[in-house]
Amino acid sequence: MKALFTSLMFAIAGAAGFCQPVQSSCEAPDSIKTLYEFDAKVLAVREMQFYAPGVIEINQNRIDNFLKMLLAVYNATSLPARDSVVKCKPIHVFPEFDLKSINLGVNSAESWIANFLNGVSPTGNAQADELIDTYHLSPGTYLPSIGFLNVKSEFDLNMPALAAKFTQLPGVNYAEPNYTVSDGSNIVSAPTPIENYEFFYAYRWGDCPSGCLSQHTWHFSVNPIGCTVAFVESYGDPVDFPCELTNTSEAGLLQKFDVTAFTAGQVIQVILELKQHSVAELNLLDASGKLVKKKSVSVPAQTEYRTEFSVNGFPSGTYFLALHLRNGVFTRKIAVQH
């Protein structure tokens, strides 16, 4: 993880400064917060490995801060790339280890270990009893033939730090986090020298029990103080979205937004109708959410306005045409075939 953190810092240095932040919100209903609370805990634990590796309890302020930033990305609905990681490919963290258990190699002949296995409290070892009582620990799977013991907690904890405490106890041959087997989609974060945090949403697929064969990553820059989000870039293997990126409400200024025709696979025709005169920006994005072309048009009020958008020279595939108006961003899915 430290090597990954270091490589991310180099990537951030090269990518920062080339994206326009949008105002978002760091608040959400409890039903949405619940979706990202565990993600926030894992991100906080990862960060603790650098600034507080020996602390067992997860810093609640850090959890709250990460939750705010994850909600900021969730609420950044004006960024089509947000739909990529929230709606089309809902991405969450893939924890490196369980936050509620550790694995020990033990000698059951040690009296306190025998008492712990048999539910006797106190166990006779003051240091062990303090850990057991403080973190509500109980024995899980026990394999006496090899001296393997899984120890469970009622709380989410920084398990590398808890494991380190158990290595100091008599009768414990080794102690380590209960590491996760296989791999999967993930969210990785890293701070920058300024107040922003960089978030990398990685969608992974293809034989993930063996490590995942393919990956596509979306990079966002989040400011937790101002609650702003910028989409920086996306990269990796091509992805094919199973859903259409659309806003849930198109009320207000917009009356019509249609993509009606292709001209020999080179030009798309866009029809707009607005309640009031407005300048509109049309952004063409590829399947990853990356901006590939844009144009601005002045649309008169209450009139069916037509404009053409060239896709000449673009690879065949799925694209999204995002219409930016002062009351929101609206998208249409386009299949380009030459």
Side-chain angles (χ1 to χ4, degrees):
M1 179 59 69
K2 287 188 177 181
L4 175 60
F5 185 89
T6 302
S7 64
L8 285 179
M9 293 305 295
F10 281 109
I12 290 164
F18 295 100
C19 47
Q20 182 65 39
V22 299
Q23 187 63 54
S24 187
S25 170
C26 292
E27 298 297 329
D30 289 344
S31 59
I32 302 302
K33 288 182 179 180
T34 300
L35 296 175
Y36 291 96
E37 284 176 346
F38 181 72
D39 296 343
K41 287 181 181 180
V42 174
L43 292 171
V45 168
R46 288 176 182 168
E47 190 177 63
M48 289 176 69
Q49 306 315 306
F50 299 94
Y51 77 86
V55 177
I56 296 174
E57 295 184 19
I58 308 173
N59 186 305
Q60 187 61 49
N61 289 334
R62 301 308 304 151
I63 296 173
D64 293 342
N65 198 50
F66 277 113
L67 181 58
K68 283 175 54 179
M69 292 187 285
L70 291 167
L71 293 177
V73 174
Y74 178 89
N75 288 320
T77 54
S78 64
L79 299 176
R82 169 268 182 196
D83 281 3
S84 301
V85 303
V86 169
K87 182 180 178 182
C88 293
K89 305 285 187 185
I91 297 173
H92 294 276
V93 299
F94 192 91
E96 290 74 27
F97 47 80
D98 185 11
L99 299 188
K100 279 187 161 64
S101 70
I102 58 174
N103 294 330
L104 308 180
V106 298
N107 179 2
S108 60
E110 186 70 36
S111 60
W112 81 264
I113 294 175
N115 288 335
F116 178 58
L117 288 169
N118 292 314
V120 177
S121 181
T123 65
N125 182 290
Q127 187 178 357
D129 288 334
E130 182 179 2
L131 292 172
I132 292 167
D133 294 340
T134 301
Y135 303 112
H136 293 200
L137 304 180
S138 61
T141 300
Y142 175 52
L143 303 176
S145 61
I146 59 174
F148 172 86
L149 174 62
N150 175 258
V151 176
K152 301 182 295 183
S153 172
E154 293 182 9
F155 309 121
D156 291 320
L157 301 169
N158 178 16
M159 286 304 175
L162 180 62
K165 293 291 185 182
F166 271 88
T167 61
Q168 303 170 12
L169 300 178
V172 176
N173 301 320
Y174 69 85
E176 62 184 14
N178 186 9
Y179 288 106
T180 305
V181 179
S182 78
D183 203 351
S185 296
N186 202 0
I187 302 173
V188 177
S189 69
T192 66
I194 55 177
E195 59 194 16
N196 284 12
Y197 267 73
E198 307 305 307
F199 283 80
F200 299 83
Y201 287 67
Y203 175 66
R204 296 171 177 165
W205 70 98
D207 195 22
C208 282
S210 300
C212 299
L213 299 176
S214 302
Q215 174 175 312
H216 193 96
T217 301
W218 293 263
H219 175 189
F220 298 87
S221 183
V222 182
N223 183 308
I225 298 175
C227 201
T228 60
V229 180
F231 171 61
V232 180
E233 61 177 342
S234 72
Y235 50 88
D237 299 299
V239 289
D240 182 20
F241 291 113
C243 64
E244 183 172 349
L245 307 183
T246 56
N247 287 51
T248 57
S249 173
E250 298 190 359
L253 182 62
L254 182 63
Q255 292 183 305
K256 180 183 288 188
F257 176 26
D258 293 332
V259 179
T260 61
F262 289 83
T263 304
Q266 305 299 317
V267 177
I268 59 173
Q269 189 176 80
V270 182
I271 300 178
L272 300 174
E273 187 172 340
L274 306 180
K275 289 183 179 179
Q276 302 172 9
H277 170 264
S278 181
V279 174
E281 184 175 284
L282 291 165
N283 288 349
L284 187 66
L285 305 110
D286 64 16
S288 71
K290 181 180 180 180
L291 178 67
V292 294
K293 192 171 186 178
K294 67 179 180 179
K295 68 182 295 187
S296 294
V297 293
S298 180
V299 183
Q302 302 291 335
T303 301
E304 194 173 87
Y305 176 85
R306 295 173 182 261
T307 185
E308 292 185 342
F309 210 91
S310 174
V311 291
N312 184 34
F314 291 176
S316 297
T318 300
Y319 291 81
F320 299 94
L321 187 61
L323 170 65
H324 290 249
L325 298 171
R326 62 175 179 266
N327 71 318
V329 180
F330 313 102
T331 57
R332 295 292 182 265
K333 186 177 181 180
I334 304 167
V336 173
Q337 297 291 336
H338 297 297

